[in-house]
Amino acid sequence: MRLLGNKIKQYRKQKNLSQQELAEGICTQATVSLMEKKNKVPSIKIILQICRRLNVSLGDILSGLGSSMDDQFEAISQAIRHDDYPTAGELLTKVNMTNVQNSFDRERYHYYRGFIELNTHNRPDEAIFHFNLLLHRSYRMPWDLYAIVGNVGMASAYVARKEFDKAHYYLNEAAGYLDDFEWHDEANFKRLVWARYQIALMYLELDQPQLVIENVEAALTAVKKQASLYLIDVLYEVRGQAEQALLATVAAKRSLTIAKTLALVTHNVALQERLTRSPLGAVAD
């Protein structure tokens, strides 16, 4: 494991912090200087507090945290982001947990297992069990994206159980973390947008269209900043549904028209068919 002092300096400058400001209440300015200039590793407690202040993960400032299971988990992640839960479930059965050597891999396993239990097997109680394990492992690091998606998962499970008060609690937790989260790579950007989209869908089911729009707008801001098409078509779809619920017919027509156009660009056949079949989709014609 090696500390990437140049990365700490980069993230510190992005936050417009001096070394003294970064160190305040955590360590001495000299410790930060040694971290940045000499790659000197302080205690894990100091590293975690520095990560929290910079709003980055351990993997952003430490090398040697990679896992031999990265490729397996990335394939599962891709399947889940495309709503292909049967494939994700099949891939997860091939993960040999006896090879899991670190807490990061255990967090990833429980995260994916929770969503597969919920969306493939319709077992919200099992999903809650795994999301609880995930949140208990990462509760000391709320800036970690797995804490965010763990709360999204808990909300999904409680929506499935029709326990809406608990669903609201976890949705608020996830949205609060997302408001402060900054991404530094493509994978975290996609997880952030995916989490916002899932939150918007749940708020739509909970009949809170204004909160749907707030989360969609946050996701669209990130997508546009990244100059990406990731989930942009379905984000406009759910925004149109929320606007329709608010009786904002003109806005809904505009959003759904954009969704239809983007579905052609992204080759999202499922969305094209959904908008064609749905009475709501007729608004955009």
Side-chain angles (χ1 to χ4, degrees):
M1 182 179 72
R2 185 170 68 88
L3 184 68
L4 303 174
N6 62 320
K7 287 291 189 181
I8 294 176
K9 184 176 181 179
Q10 174 189 334
Y11 296 136
R12 174 175 64 79
K13 287 185 174 293
Q14 286 176 356
K15 293 279 189 182
N16 293 316
L17 296 173
S18 66
Q19 288 185 344
Q20 184 60 46
E21 287 170 330
L22 177 58
E24 186 176 356
I26 298 176
C27 58
T28 65
Q29 182 270 332
T31 299
V32 172
S33 180
L34 286 171
M35 292 171 70
E36 292 185 355
K37 295 178 180 178
K38 302 290 186 181
N39 299 321
K40 183 173 177 59
V41 180
S43 69
I44 189 64
K45 179 181 178 181
I46 289 175
I47 291 177
L48 289 174
Q49 289 176 317
I50 291 291
C51 283
R52 184 170 191 176
R53 183 156 292 171
L54 293 174
N55 197 25
V56 299
S57 68
L58 283 173
D60 290 322
I61 64 170
L62 293 172
S63 66
L65 290 179
S67 164
S68 60
M69 305 177 77
D70 284 349
D71 290 343
Q72 284 179 281
F73 283 125
E74 178 56 27
I76 296 168
S77 177
Q78 289 280 358
I80 287 176
R81 288 203 295 264
H82 288 89
D83 291 328
D84 187 358
Y85 288 98
T87 296
E90 183 179 341
L91 289 169
L92 191 68
T93 62
K94 298 176 182 178
V95 173
N96 185 353
M97 288 303 291
T98 60
N99 293 334
V100 173
Q101 301 295 320
N102 58 64
S103 60
F104 178 54
D105 282 341
R106 286 193 292 274
E107 283 186 10
R108 291 196 285 183
Y109 176 82
H110 289 301
Y111 162 59
Y112 296 127
R113 178 73 182 273
F115 277 104
I116 288 165
E117 290 289 354
L118 184 60
N119 293 284
T120 302
H121 306 301
N122 193 27
R123 294 193 290 229
D125 290 346
E126 289 292 322
I128 288 169
F129 170 78
H130 288 284
F131 290 132
N132 258 324
L133 288 175
L134 171 63
L135 291 175
H136 286 162
R137 292 183 185 280
S138 56
Y139 77 100
R140 294 184 184 274
M141 297 185 290
W143 63 94
D144 189 324
L145 192 57
Y146 282 101
I148 295 170
V149 294
N151 278 292
V152 171
M154 289 291 276
S156 299
Y158 281 114
V159 167
R161 285 175 49 159
K162 309 298 183 186
E163 295 183 40
F164 299 129
D165 287 344
K166 290 182 179 178
H168 278 292
Y169 169 80
Y170 286 106
L171 283 171
N172 288 335
E173 289 288 293
Y177 291 146
L178 278 165
D179 288 340
D180 297 325
F181 186 80
E182 297 179 8
W183 73 90
H184 301 289
D185 58 42
E186 182 73 9
N188 277 355
F189 156 73
K190 288 186 174 180
R191 291 187 181 105
L192 178 151
V193 175
W194 180 87
R196 285 286 189 190
Y197 173 57
Q198 294 299 317
I199 291 171
L201 288 176
M202 281 184 274
Y203 275 133
L204 191 66
E205 186 171 348
L206 294 170
D207 195 26
Q208 292 192 273
Q210 191 56 53
L211 290 175
V212 174
I213 292 173
E214 287 178 16
N215 280 277
V216 168
E217 285 304 308
L220 287 173
T221 297
V223 168
K224 292 170 183 175
K225 181 178 179 180
Q226 195 75 357
S228 171
L229 291 174
Y230 181 64
L231 294 184
I232 191 169
D233 46 7
V234 291
L235 285 168
Y236 274 104
E237 176 196 24
V238 73
R239 187 170 82 172
Q241 293 171 329
E243 289 164 341
Q244 183 70 6
L246 290 168
L247 303 180
T249 306
V250 174
K253 181 177 180 179
R254 181 172 60 248
S255 293
L256 292 170
T257 299
I258 294 172
K260 279 190 171 184
T261 302
L262 288 169
L264 293 172
V265 174
T266 60
H267 307 290
N268 189 338
V269 176
L271 176 56
Q272 294 174 43
E273 293 177 349
R274 192 159 64 243
L275 287 173
T276 299
R277 291 195 309 267
S278 170
L280 184 59
V283 174
D285 290 332

